[in-house]
Amino acid sequence: MFETITIACDDRGVATLMLNRAEKHNAMSAVMIAELTRAAEQLGADPAVRAVILTGAGKSFCAGGDLGWMQDQMVADPETRFIEARKLALALQALNTLPKPLIGALQGNAFGGGVGLASVCDVTLGADHLKMGLTETRLGLIPATIGPYVIARMGEARARRVFMSARLFDAAEAVELGLLARAVPAADLMAAAEAEVLPYLSCAPGAVAAAKRLTRTLGPRIDAEVIDHTIHALVACWEGEEAKEGIGAFFAKRKPGWIADG
């Protein structure tokens, strides 16, 4: 049914949504983006599902955008780039508005789009070895479509510390920044996620869904206008010379022109 993700649901109604491209560090391809949207719709509509745990197979939670997807955008026309960016934006929105509790359990690395996925979870836990980073500006791009969710999670002041610099940070700093609720030993990660899920099984599912909707209406505005703004901002970067240089340098395994020698 799915190529890049798996869904397993136990008899309590706890579903585990797993990114399943371990050999690619669960980088987000066009197929994965489409499947995440479909999975969110499927899980949201299933009355038997009470809560969802989002995690990744293998060494990394999500290394960001798939390299093949990035290469495709390099040669695409602006309309195609807009369509592809919109698909990612809508996948994030589908997960953000999932009418079930969404608990993130992150291990290894979470870069770029992986930080976006962490930010749409209601509670996000990380293994204590986790490395995170908004790495887009290294490539001449910006964290655009993930931006509304990252800012909503971190707040503008904390986001400014890592949103533009592309520097990596560890799990302890991710807790300080508000991206993670807490960091736990890797061996305890799924048990910690289970502990977050357990209280919801004593709550009325409809009330949980209504409470989640209310928090979203009271929080920062993330609507069609905001989403379209982020998509246009990303497409504008794709059209710029810095993206061509940064992505070209990445695939050529050389330094981009803005890095001084020495």
Side-chain angles (χ1 to χ4, degrees):
M1 186 175 184
F2 295 107
E3 295 179 28
T4 66
I5 64 174
T6 63
I7 299 176
C9 191
D10 66 23
D11 56 8
R12 303 171 301 165
V14 178
T16 299
L17 171 57
M18 181 176 288
L19 310 182
N20 196 30
R21 299 184 76 213
E23 74 287 355
K24 299 291 187 181
H25 293 272
N26 297 316
M28 298 173 72
S29 64
V31 174
M32 180 182 282
I33 290 167
E35 291 188 342
L36 283 171
T37 303
R38 185 152 53 96
E41 294 169 351
Q42 177 180 311
L43 292 166
D46 188 345
V49 174
R50 300 288 300 276
V52 180
I53 297 173
L54 174 64
T55 191
K59 295 181 178 179
S60 294
F61 171 66
C62 178
D66 178 76
L67 298 182
W69 184 85
M70 288 173 56
Q71 286 181 310
D72 290 342
Q73 304 321 303
M74 282 286 289
V75 298
D77 58 79
E79 182 179 358
T80 300
R81 288 170 174 165
F82 185 91
I83 290 169
E84 292 304 308
R86 185 172 183 81
K87 288 177 182 177
L88 174 57
L90 293 179
L92 292 166
Q93 182 70 329
L95 290 166
N96 192 54
T97 57
L98 181 74
K100 315 291 170 86
L102 182 61
I103 311 301
L106 283 56
Q107 84 286 4
N109 298 324
F111 301 148
V115 178
L117 290 174
S119 298
V120 300
C121 295
D122 299 303
V123 179
T124 308
L125 308 171
D128 54 12
H129 65 261
L130 181 68
K131 296 294 183 184
M132 304 184 78
L134 294 147
T135 52
E136 289 86 348
T137 54
R138 289 183 185 174
L139 299 174
L141 296 172
I142 56 175
T145 50
I146 67 173
Y149 311 101
V150 174
I151 302 298
R153 174 57 56 89
M154 299 171 69
E156 182 185 349
R158 287 183 293 188
R160 284 188 178 202
R161 291 167 52 182
V162 294
F163 200 76
M164 301 88 77
S165 67
R167 71 174 177 84
L168 304 187
F169 48 93
D170 62 17
E173 186 172 3
V175 172
E176 181 190 347
L177 290 167
L179 277 171
L180 298 181
R182 57 195 173 102
V184 300
D188 299 335
L189 181 61
M190 296 311 293
E194 166 70 18
E196 292 291 340
V197 163
L198 198 58
Y200 289 108
L201 303 182
S202 299
C203 298
V208 169
K212 183 169 179 176
R213 284 195 304 272
L214 181 61
T215 62
R216 274 283 65 250
T217 61
L218 297 176
R221 180 172 66 97
I222 305 176
D223 57 15
E225 182 181 355
V226 170
I227 290 170
D228 278 352
H229 176 69
T230 67
I231 296 169
H232 283 292
L234 180 58
V235 171
C237 278
W238 276 108
E239 294 298 302
E241 292 302 317
E242 286 189 342
K244 294 173 186 176
E245 168 63 11
I247 295 170
F250 178 82
F251 285 112
K253 297 182 179 180
R254 62 172 175 82
K255 294 179 180 179
W258 53 76
I259 297 182
D261 291 332

